[in-house]
Amino acid sequence: DEDHIVIPEKPIQIQIIGSVYNQNAFVFNPRAKVSSYLRKAGGFTENANEREIYILKVDGTAISRRVKGNLFSMRLDPGDTIVVPEKLDKTAWLRNIKDITQILYQVAVTAGVLIVAF
């Protein structure tokens, strides 16, 4: 008797988040491609990782360049989100630890040889 049917509204925007100058939601245009939405957002910031852009579809799936190839010419569906991640500085800390360990080992071996010799 008091049942309700809720029909969600159809999204009419494309959202852009991440390393762009204007993170925002833009009105969906069926003829627009990813590149045009990126231009509307002011383009990439200097920290943007342009090679790792991905699209979050409205149904929850993700599309990356590894799956689709060139995303810039892709057309979107209403409610999709363009994600522009930041560049990550990869430090070679593991390599540095290995080098330091090797140096300490060589110093210890040298010290052991000197102690035995004298």
PDB file of all heavy atoms in Angstrom, residues 14 28-37 53-57 61-65 67-77 80-82:
ATOM      1  N   ILE A  14      29.940  14.969 -17.222  1.00  0.00           N
ATOM      2  CA  ILE A  14      31.211  14.242 -17.250  1.00  0.00           C
ATOM      3  C   ILE A  14      32.081  14.909 -16.204  1.00  0.00           C
ATOM      4  O   ILE A  14      32.215  16.129 -16.191  1.00  0.00           O
ATOM      5  CB  ILE A  14      31.897  14.343 -18.632  1.00  0.00           C
ATOM      6  CG1 ILE A  14      31.013  13.736 -19.722  1.00  0.00           C
ATOM      7  CG2 ILE A  14      33.278  13.709 -18.602  1.00  0.00           C
ATOM      8  CD1 ILE A  14      30.817  12.252 -19.613  1.00  0.00           C
ATOM      9  N   PHE A  28      27.408  17.007 -20.306  1.00  0.00           N
ATOM     10  CA  PHE A  28      27.674  15.970 -21.297  1.00  0.00           C
ATOM     11  C   PHE A  28      27.319  16.452 -22.693  1.00  0.00           C
ATOM     12  O   PHE A  28      26.265  17.044 -22.917  1.00  0.00           O
ATOM     13  CB  PHE A  28      26.866  14.705 -20.960  1.00  0.00           C
ATOM     14  CG  PHE A  28      26.927  13.655 -22.021  1.00  0.00           C
ATOM     15  CD1 PHE A  28      28.085  12.933 -22.229  1.00  0.00           C
ATOM     16  CD2 PHE A  28      25.825  13.399 -22.818  1.00  0.00           C
ATOM     17  CE1 PHE A  28      28.148  11.964 -23.201  1.00  0.00           C
ATOM     18  CE2 PHE A  28      25.875  12.421 -23.796  1.00  0.00           C
ATOM     19  CZ  PHE A  28      27.036  11.701 -23.994  1.00  0.00           C
ATOM     20  N   ASN A  29      28.239  16.192 -23.629  1.00  0.00           N
ATOM     21  CA  ASN A  29      28.012  16.484 -25.039  1.00  0.00           C
ATOM     22  C   ASN A  29      28.274  15.179 -25.794  1.00  0.00           C
ATOM     23  O   ASN A  29      29.389  14.658 -25.762  1.00  0.00           O
ATOM     24  CB  ASN A  29      28.975  17.576 -25.516  1.00  0.00           C
ATOM     25  CG  ASN A  29      28.826  17.880 -26.987  1.00  0.00           C
ATOM     26  OD1 ASN A  29      28.141  17.183 -27.725  1.00  0.00           O
ATOM     27  ND2 ASN A  29      29.493  18.929 -27.425  1.00  0.00           N
ATOM     28  N   PRO A  30      27.280  14.613 -26.457  1.00  0.00           N
ATOM     29  CA  PRO A  30      27.460  13.303 -27.101  1.00  0.00           C
ATOM     30  C   PRO A  30      28.517  13.294 -28.205  1.00  0.00           C
ATOM     31  O   PRO A  30      29.049  12.253 -28.544  1.00  0.00           O
ATOM     32  CB  PRO A  30      26.076  12.968 -27.661  1.00  0.00           C
ATOM     33  CG  PRO A  30      25.314  14.226 -27.647  1.00  0.00           C
ATOM     34  CD  PRO A  30      25.928  15.135 -26.632  1.00  0.00           C
ATOM     35  N   ARG A  31      28.854  14.455 -28.750  1.00  0.00           N
ATOM     36  CA  ARG A  31      29.861  14.523 -29.811  1.00  0.00           C
ATOM     37  C   ARG A  31      31.269  14.799 -29.287  1.00  0.00           C
ATOM     38  O   ARG A  31      32.235  14.675 -30.022  1.00  0.00           O
ATOM     39  CB  ARG A  31      29.471  15.605 -30.820  1.00  0.00           C
ATOM     40  CG  ARG A  31      28.218  15.251 -31.604  1.00  0.00           C
ATOM     41  CD  ARG A  31      27.911  16.287 -32.658  1.00  0.00           C
ATOM     42  NE  ARG A  31      27.781  17.631 -32.092  1.00  0.00           N
ATOM     43  CZ  ARG A  31      26.655  18.190 -31.689  1.00  0.00           C
ATOM     44  NH1 ARG A  31      25.531  17.513 -31.774  1.00  0.00           N
ATOM     45  NH2 ARG A  31      26.637  19.400 -31.202  1.00  0.00           N
ATOM     46  N   ALA A  32      31.386  15.158 -28.014  1.00  0.00           N
ATOM     47  CA  ALA A  32      32.690  15.521 -27.450  1.00  0.00           C
ATOM     48  C   ALA A  32      33.508  14.283 -27.121  1.00  0.00           C
ATOM     49  O   ALA A  32      32.968  13.237 -26.758  1.00  0.00           O
ATOM     50  CB  ALA A  32      32.499  16.372 -26.204  1.00  0.00           C
ATOM     51  N   LYS A  33      34.813  14.430 -27.253  1.00  0.00           N
ATOM     52  CA  LYS A  33      35.739  13.352 -26.926  1.00  0.00           C
ATOM     53  C   LYS A  33      36.473  13.707 -25.643  1.00  0.00           C
ATOM     54  O   LYS A  33      36.351  14.825 -25.123  1.00  0.00           O
ATOM     55  CB  LYS A  33      36.727  13.158 -28.073  1.00  0.00           C
ATOM     56  CG  LYS A  33      36.047  12.744 -29.363  1.00  0.00           C
ATOM     57  CD  LYS A  33      37.030  12.609 -30.471  1.00  0.00           C
ATOM     58  CE  LYS A  33      36.289  12.231 -31.757  1.00  0.00           C
ATOM     59  NZ  LYS A  33      37.163  12.181 -32.895  1.00  0.00           N
ATOM     60  N   VAL A  34      37.249  12.771 -25.140  1.00  0.00           N
ATOM     61  CA  VAL A  34      38.002  12.982 -23.902  1.00  0.00           C
ATOM     62  C   VAL A  34      38.876  14.225 -24.022  1.00  0.00           C
ATOM     63  O   VAL A  34      38.946  15.040 -23.099  1.00  0.00           O
ATOM     64  CB  VAL A  34      38.857  11.732 -23.565  1.00  0.00           C
ATOM     65  CG1 VAL A  34      39.820  12.007 -22.435  1.00  0.00           C
ATOM     66  CG2 VAL A  34      37.955  10.558 -23.236  1.00  0.00           C
ATOM     67  N   SER A  35      39.529  14.406 -25.162  1.00  0.00           N
ATOM     68  CA  SER A  35      40.430  15.547 -25.338  1.00  0.00           C
ATOM     69  C   SER A  35      39.706  16.885 -25.184  1.00  0.00           C
ATOM     70  O   SER A  35      40.259  17.832 -24.619  1.00  0.00           O
ATOM     71  CB  SER A  35      41.122  15.479 -26.699  1.00  0.00           C
ATOM     72  OG  SER A  35      40.159  15.448 -27.741  1.00  0.00           O
ATOM     73  N   SER A  36      38.465  16.967 -25.633  1.00  0.00           N
ATOM     74  CA  SER A  36      37.740  18.240 -25.505  1.00  0.00           C
ATOM     75  C   SER A  36      37.375  18.533 -24.046  1.00  0.00           C
ATOM     76  O   SER A  36      37.406  19.686 -23.614  1.00  0.00           O
ATOM     77  CB  SER A  36      36.503  18.267 -26.397  1.00  0.00           C
ATOM     78  OG  SER A  36      35.613  17.250 -26.036  1.00  0.00           O
ATOM     79  N   TYR A  37      37.056  17.498 -23.275  1.00  0.00           N
ATOM     80  CA  TYR A  37      36.775  17.712 -21.851  1.00  0.00           C
ATOM     81  C   TYR A  37      38.044  18.120 -21.108  1.00  0.00           C
ATOM     82  O   TYR A  37      38.003  18.956 -20.202  1.00  0.00           O
ATOM     83  CB  TYR A  37      36.163  16.459 -21.218  1.00  0.00           C
ATOM     84  CG  TYR A  37      34.745  16.195 -21.668  1.00  0.00           C
ATOM     85  CD1 TYR A  37      34.452  15.132 -22.507  1.00  0.00           C
ATOM     86  CD2 TYR A  37      33.704  17.022 -21.254  1.00  0.00           C
ATOM     87  CE1 TYR A  37      33.157  14.899 -22.923  1.00  0.00           C
ATOM     88  CE2 TYR A  37      32.407  16.786 -21.673  1.00  0.00           C
ATOM     89  CZ  TYR A  37      32.131  15.731 -22.512  1.00  0.00           C
ATOM     90  OH  TYR A  37      30.843  15.499 -22.921  1.00  0.00           O
ATOM     91  N   ILE A  53      46.274   8.164 -17.686  1.00  0.00           N
ATOM     92  CA  ILE A  53      44.877   8.592 -17.607  1.00  0.00           C
ATOM     93  C   ILE A  53      43.970   7.368 -17.714  1.00  0.00           C
ATOM     94  O   ILE A  53      44.271   6.427 -18.445  1.00  0.00           O
ATOM     95  CB  ILE A  53      44.547   9.564 -18.752  1.00  0.00           C
ATOM     96  CG1 ILE A  53      45.289  10.877 -18.550  1.00  0.00           C
ATOM     97  CG2 ILE A  53      43.059   9.812 -18.861  1.00  0.00           C
ATOM     98  CD1 ILE A  53      45.117  11.825 -19.705  1.00  0.00           C
ATOM     99  N   TYR A  54      42.885   7.386 -16.975  1.00  0.00           N
ATOM    100  CA  TYR A  54      41.897   6.318 -17.125  1.00  0.00           C
ATOM    101  C   TYR A  54      40.495   6.887 -16.973  1.00  0.00           C
ATOM    102  O   TYR A  54      40.299   7.989 -16.462  1.00  0.00           O
ATOM    103  CB  TYR A  54      42.149   5.150 -16.172  1.00  0.00           C
ATOM    104  CG  TYR A  54      42.139   5.490 -14.700  1.00  0.00           C
ATOM    105  CD1 TYR A  54      40.991   5.323 -13.938  1.00  0.00           C
ATOM    106  CD2 TYR A  54      43.291   5.959 -14.070  1.00  0.00           C
ATOM    107  CE1 TYR A  54      40.986   5.614 -12.592  1.00  0.00           C
ATOM    108  CE2 TYR A  54      43.285   6.258 -12.717  1.00  0.00           C
ATOM    109  CZ  TYR A  54      42.136   6.081 -11.988  1.00  0.00           C
ATOM    110  OH  TYR A  54      42.128   6.376 -10.641  1.00  0.00           O
ATOM    111  N   ILE A  55      39.536   6.114 -17.456  1.00  0.00           N
ATOM    112  CA  ILE A  55      38.127   6.514 -17.443  1.00  0.00           C
ATOM    113  C   ILE A  55      37.381   5.578 -16.502  1.00  0.00           C
ATOM    114  O   ILE A  55      37.507   4.361 -16.598  1.00  0.00           O
ATOM    115  CB  ILE A  55      37.498   6.400 -18.850  1.00  0.00           C
ATOM    116  CG1 ILE A  55      38.339   7.106 -19.908  1.00  0.00           C
ATOM    117  CG2 ILE A  55      36.052   6.881 -18.841  1.00  0.00           C
ATOM    118  CD1 ILE A  55      38.478   8.578 -19.730  1.00  0.00           C
ATOM    119  N   LEU A  56      36.621   6.149 -15.585  1.00  0.00           N
ATOM    120  CA  LEU A  56      35.710   5.371 -14.748  1.00  0.00           C
ATOM    121  C   LEU A  56      34.326   5.485 -15.362  1.00  0.00           C
ATOM    122  O   LEU A  56      33.747   6.575 -15.403  1.00  0.00           O
ATOM    123  CB  LEU A  56      35.705   5.897 -13.313  1.00  0.00           C
ATOM    124  CG  LEU A  56      36.993   5.717 -12.523  1.00  0.00           C
ATOM    125  CD1 LEU A  56      36.868   6.365 -11.159  1.00  0.00           C
ATOM    126  CD2 LEU A  56      37.325   4.253 -12.392  1.00  0.00           C
ATOM    127  N   LYS A  57      33.833   4.372 -15.864  1.00  0.00           N
ATOM    128  CA  LYS A  57      32.528   4.370 -16.500  1.00  0.00           C
ATOM    129  C   LYS A  57      31.437   4.446 -15.431  1.00  0.00           C
ATOM    130  O   LYS A  57      31.654   4.109 -14.269  1.00  0.00           O
ATOM    131  CB  LYS A  57      32.344   3.096 -17.343  1.00  0.00           C
ATOM    132  CG  LYS A  57      33.386   2.911 -18.432  1.00  0.00           C
ATOM    133  CD  LYS A  57      33.328   3.999 -19.464  1.00  0.00           C
ATOM    134  CE  LYS A  57      32.141   3.813 -20.373  1.00  0.00           C
ATOM    135  NZ  LYS A  57      32.033   4.869 -21.380  1.00  0.00           N
ATOM    136  N   THR A  61      33.124   0.216 -14.155  1.00  0.00           N
ATOM    137  CA  THR A  61      34.317  -0.334 -14.793  1.00  0.00           C
ATOM    138  C   THR A  61      35.332   0.768 -15.078  1.00  0.00           C
ATOM    139  O   THR A  61      34.984   1.940 -15.175  1.00  0.00           O
ATOM    140  CB  THR A  61      33.975  -1.059 -16.115  1.00  0.00           C
ATOM    141  OG1 THR A  61      33.352  -0.130 -17.000  1.00  0.00           O
ATOM    142  CG2 THR A  61      33.063  -2.236 -15.878  1.00  0.00           C
ATOM    143  N   ALA A  62      36.587   0.364 -15.213  1.00  0.00           N
ATOM    144  CA  ALA A  62      37.662   1.309 -15.506  1.00  0.00           C
ATOM    145  C   ALA A  62      38.275   0.961 -16.853  1.00  0.00           C
ATOM    146  O   ALA A  62      38.456  -0.210 -17.188  1.00  0.00           O
ATOM    147  CB  ALA A  62      38.722   1.254 -14.409  1.00  0.00           C
ATOM    148  N   ILE A  63      38.594   1.977 -17.632  1.00  0.00           N
ATOM    149  CA  ILE A  63      39.235   1.786 -18.927  1.00  0.00           C
ATOM    150  C   ILE A  63      40.528   2.588 -18.919  1.00  0.00           C
ATOM    151  O   ILE A  63      40.518   3.805 -18.708  1.00  0.00           O
ATOM    152  CB  ILE A  63      38.325   2.250 -20.082  1.00  0.00           C
ATOM    153  CG1 ILE A  63      37.029   1.453 -20.075  1.00  0.00           C
ATOM    154  CG2 ILE A  63      39.041   2.120 -21.410  1.00  0.00           C
ATOM    155  CD1 ILE A  63      36.017   1.924 -21.082  1.00  0.00           C
ATOM    156  N   SER A  64      41.645   1.887 -19.136  1.00  0.00           N
ATOM    157  CA  SER A  64      42.940   2.563 -19.166  1.00  0.00           C
ATOM    158  C   SER A  64      43.513   2.477 -20.577  1.00  0.00           C
ATOM    159  O   SER A  64      42.974   1.803 -21.449  1.00  0.00           O
ATOM    160  CB  SER A  64      43.906   1.901 -18.178  1.00  0.00           C
ATOM    161  OG  SER A  64      44.224   0.595 -18.618  1.00  0.00           O
ATOM    162  N   ARG A  65      44.651   3.155 -20.778  1.00  0.00           N
ATOM    163  CA  ARG A  65      45.308   3.104 -22.082  1.00  0.00           C
ATOM    164  C   ARG A  65      45.789   1.696 -22.393  1.00  0.00           C
ATOM    165  O   ARG A  65      45.911   1.320 -23.545  1.00  0.00           O
ATOM    166  CB  ARG A  65      46.486   4.069 -22.104  1.00  0.00           C
ATOM    167  CG  ARG A  65      46.039   5.520 -22.047  1.00  0.00           C
ATOM    168  CD  ARG A  65      47.205   6.421 -22.076  1.00  0.00           C
ATOM    169  NE  ARG A  65      47.582   6.625 -23.469  1.00  0.00           N
ATOM    170  CZ  ARG A  65      48.432   7.539 -23.860  1.00  0.00           C
ATOM    171  NH1 ARG A  65      49.001   8.329 -22.998  1.00  0.00           N
ATOM    172  NH2 ARG A  65      48.729   7.675 -25.123  1.00  0.00           N
ATOM    173  N   VAL A  67      44.172  -0.952 -21.848  1.00  0.00           N
ATOM    174  CA  VAL A  67      43.020  -1.714 -22.321  1.00  0.00           C
ATOM    175  C   VAL A  67      42.541  -1.182 -23.671  1.00  0.00           C
ATOM    176  O   VAL A  67      42.287  -1.941 -24.594  1.00  0.00           O
ATOM    177  CB  VAL A  67      41.860  -1.639 -21.287  1.00  0.00           C
ATOM    178  CG1 VAL A  67      40.596  -2.252 -21.840  1.00  0.00           C
ATOM    179  CG2 VAL A  67      42.270  -2.311 -19.998  1.00  0.00           C
ATOM    180  N   LYS A  68      42.433   0.120 -23.784  1.00  0.00           N
ATOM    181  CA  LYS A  68      41.789   0.736 -24.942  1.00  0.00           C
ATOM    182  C   LYS A  68      42.771   1.327 -25.938  1.00  0.00           C
ATOM    183  O   LYS A  68      42.475   1.472 -27.092  1.00  0.00           O
ATOM    184  CB  LYS A  68      40.841   1.829 -24.429  1.00  0.00           C
ATOM    185  CG  LYS A  68      40.153   2.622 -25.490  1.00  0.00           C
ATOM    186  CD  LYS A  68      38.862   1.987 -25.897  1.00  0.00           C
ATOM    187  CE  LYS A  68      38.089   2.946 -26.773  1.00  0.00           C
ATOM    188  NZ  LYS A  68      37.701   2.388 -28.021  1.00  0.00           N
ATOM    189  N   GLY A  69      43.957   1.712 -25.507  1.00  0.00           N
ATOM    190  CA  GLY A  69      44.887   2.392 -26.408  1.00  0.00           C
ATOM    191  C   GLY A  69      44.760   3.893 -26.240  1.00  0.00           C
ATOM    192  O   GLY A  69      44.947   4.425 -25.163  1.00  0.00           O
ATOM    193  N   ASN A  70      44.388   4.585 -27.309  1.00  0.00           N
ATOM    194  CA  ASN A  70      44.283   6.039 -27.278  1.00  0.00           C
ATOM    195  C   ASN A  70      42.950   6.475 -26.673  1.00  0.00           C
ATOM    196  O   ASN A  70      41.911   6.374 -27.305  1.00  0.00           O
ATOM    197  CB  ASN A  70      44.436   6.601 -28.691  1.00  0.00           C
ATOM    198  CG  ASN A  70      44.435   8.116 -28.698  1.00  0.00           C
ATOM    199  OD1 ASN A  70      44.480   8.762 -27.661  1.00  0.00           O
ATOM    200  ND2 ASN A  70      44.388   8.684 -29.880  1.00  0.00           N
ATOM    201  N   LEU A  71      42.999   6.965 -25.446  1.00  0.00           N
ATOM    202  CA  LEU A  71      41.769   7.404 -24.779  1.00  0.00           C
ATOM    203  C   LEU A  71      41.328   8.791 -25.217  1.00  0.00           C
ATOM    204  O   LEU A  71      40.167   9.151 -25.066  1.00  0.00           O
ATOM    205  CB  LEU A  71      41.966   7.411 -23.258  1.00  0.00           C
ATOM    206  CG  LEU A  71      42.152   6.065 -22.581  1.00  0.00           C
ATOM    207  CD1 LEU A  71      42.319   6.259 -21.081  1.00  0.00           C
ATOM    208  CD2 LEU A  71      40.975   5.163 -22.843  1.00  0.00           C
ATOM    209  N   PHE A  72      42.245   9.597 -25.748  1.00  0.00           N
ATOM    210  CA  PHE A  72      41.919  10.982 -26.068  1.00  0.00           C
ATOM    211  C   PHE A  72      40.844  11.109 -27.138  1.00  0.00           C
ATOM    212  O   PHE A  72      40.104  12.072 -27.172  1.00  0.00           O
ATOM    213  CB  PHE A  72      43.181  11.738 -26.490  1.00  0.00           C
ATOM    214  CG  PHE A  72      44.193  11.843 -25.395  1.00  0.00           C
ATOM    215  CD1 PHE A  72      45.346  11.103 -25.417  1.00  0.00           C
ATOM    216  CD2 PHE A  72      43.974  12.679 -24.308  1.00  0.00           C
ATOM    217  CE1 PHE A  72      46.276  11.189 -24.405  1.00  0.00           C
ATOM    218  CE2 PHE A  72      44.883  12.774 -23.284  1.00  0.00           C
ATOM    219  CZ  PHE A  72      46.045  12.023 -23.329  1.00  0.00           C
ATOM    220  N   SER A  73      40.735  10.127 -28.026  1.00  0.00           N
ATOM    221  CA  SER A  73      39.728  10.192 -29.083  1.00  0.00           C
ATOM    222  C   SER A  73      38.458   9.410 -28.734  1.00  0.00           C
ATOM    223  O   SER A  73      37.561   9.281 -29.556  1.00  0.00           O
ATOM    224  CB  SER A  73      40.318   9.651 -30.389  1.00  0.00           C
ATOM    225  OG  SER A  73      40.705   8.310 -30.220  1.00  0.00           O
ATOM    226  N   MET A  74      38.394   8.916 -27.511  1.00  0.00           N
ATOM    227  CA  MET A  74      37.245   8.124 -27.077  1.00  0.00           C
ATOM    228  C   MET A  74      36.048   9.012 -26.734  1.00  0.00           C
ATOM    229  O   MET A  74      36.203  10.080 -26.169  1.00  0.00           O
ATOM    230  CB  MET A  74      37.668   7.318 -25.842  1.00  0.00           C
ATOM    231  CG  MET A  74      36.631   6.408 -25.293  1.00  0.00           C
ATOM    232  SD  MET A  74      37.340   5.540 -23.864  1.00  0.00           S
ATOM    233  CE  MET A  74      35.865   5.154 -22.988  1.00  0.00           C
ATOM    234  N   ARG A  75      34.868   8.550 -27.103  1.00  0.00           N
ATOM    235  CA  ARG A  75      33.639   9.245 -26.709  1.00  0.00           C
ATOM    236  C   ARG A  75      33.164   8.641 -25.388  1.00  0.00           C
ATOM    237  O   ARG A  75      33.317   7.463 -25.136  1.00  0.00           O
ATOM    238  CB  ARG A  75      32.569   9.102 -27.778  1.00  0.00           C
ATOM    239  CG  ARG A  75      32.944   9.801 -29.062  1.00  0.00           C
ATOM    240  CD  ARG A  75      31.745   9.947 -29.968  1.00  0.00           C
ATOM    241  NE  ARG A  75      32.127  10.320 -31.303  1.00  0.00           N
ATOM    242  CZ  ARG A  75      32.369  11.554 -31.698  1.00  0.00           C
ATOM    243  NH1 ARG A  75      32.278  12.533 -30.843  1.00  0.00           N
ATOM    244  NH2 ARG A  75      32.697  11.811 -32.937  1.00  0.00           N
ATOM    245  N   LEU A  76      32.551   9.480 -24.572  1.00  0.00           N
ATOM    246  CA  LEU A  76      32.131   9.061 -23.235  1.00  0.00           C
ATOM    247  C   LEU A  76      30.620   8.919 -23.152  1.00  0.00           C
ATOM    248  O   LEU A  76      29.886   9.367 -24.031  1.00  0.00           O
ATOM    249  CB  LEU A  76      32.615  10.090 -22.214  1.00  0.00           C
ATOM    250  CG  LEU A  76      34.129  10.280 -22.157  1.00  0.00           C
ATOM    251  CD1 LEU A  76      34.480  11.456 -21.266  1.00  0.00           C
ATOM    252  CD2 LEU A  76      34.801   9.026 -21.670  1.00  0.00           C
ATOM    253  N   ASP A  77      30.172   8.303 -22.072  1.00  0.00           N
ATOM    254  CA  ASP A  77      28.757   8.199 -21.774  1.00  0.00           C
ATOM    255  C   ASP A  77      28.439   9.153 -20.628  1.00  0.00           C
ATOM    256  O   ASP A  77      29.328   9.485 -19.825  1.00  0.00           O
ATOM    257  CB  ASP A  77      28.402   6.766 -21.351  1.00  0.00           C
ATOM    258  CG  ASP A  77      28.650   5.757 -22.457  1.00  0.00           C
ATOM    259  OD1 ASP A  77      28.325   6.075 -23.617  1.00  0.00           O
ATOM    260  OD2 ASP A  77      29.164   4.664 -22.161  1.00  0.00           O
ATOM    261  N   ASP A  80      30.269   9.416 -16.822  1.00  0.00           N
ATOM    262  CA  ASP A  80      31.646   8.916 -16.774  1.00  0.00           C
ATOM    263  C   ASP A  80      32.557   9.937 -16.086  1.00  0.00           C
ATOM    264  O   ASP A  80      32.249  11.131 -16.031  1.00  0.00           O
ATOM    265  CB  ASP A  80      32.180   8.633 -18.175  1.00  0.00           C
ATOM    266  CG  ASP A  80      31.535   7.411 -18.813  1.00  0.00           C
ATOM    267  OD1 ASP A  80      30.805   6.689 -18.112  1.00  0.00           O
ATOM    268  OD2 ASP A  80      31.764   7.188 -20.016  1.00  0.00           O
ATOM    269  N   THR A  81      33.689   9.434 -15.591  1.00  0.00           N
ATOM    270  CA  THR A  81      34.671  10.293 -14.920  1.00  0.00           C
ATOM    271  C   THR A  81      36.030  10.077 -15.552  1.00  0.00           C
ATOM    272  O   THR A  81      36.471   8.945 -15.738  1.00  0.00           O
ATOM    273  CB  THR A  81      34.749   9.955 -13.421  1.00  0.00           C
ATOM    274  OG1 THR A  81      33.464  10.156 -12.833  1.00  0.00           O
ATOM    275  CG2 THR A  81      35.768  10.833 -12.704  1.00  0.00           C
ATOM    276  N   ILE A  82      36.704  11.177 -15.882  1.00  0.00           N
ATOM    277  CA  ILE A  82      38.072  11.137 -16.393  1.00  0.00           C
ATOM    278  C   ILE A  82      38.996  11.365 -15.206  1.00  0.00           C
ATOM    279  O   ILE A  82      38.846  12.355 -14.487  1.00  0.00           O
ATOM    280  CB  ILE A  82      38.308  12.223 -17.456  1.00  0.00           C
ATOM    281  CG1 ILE A  82      37.323  12.066 -18.605  1.00  0.00           C
ATOM    282  CG2 ILE A  82      39.752  12.194 -17.953  1.00  0.00           C
ATOM    283  CD1 ILE A  82      37.295  13.246 -19.563  1.00  0.00           C
TER     284      ILE A  82
END
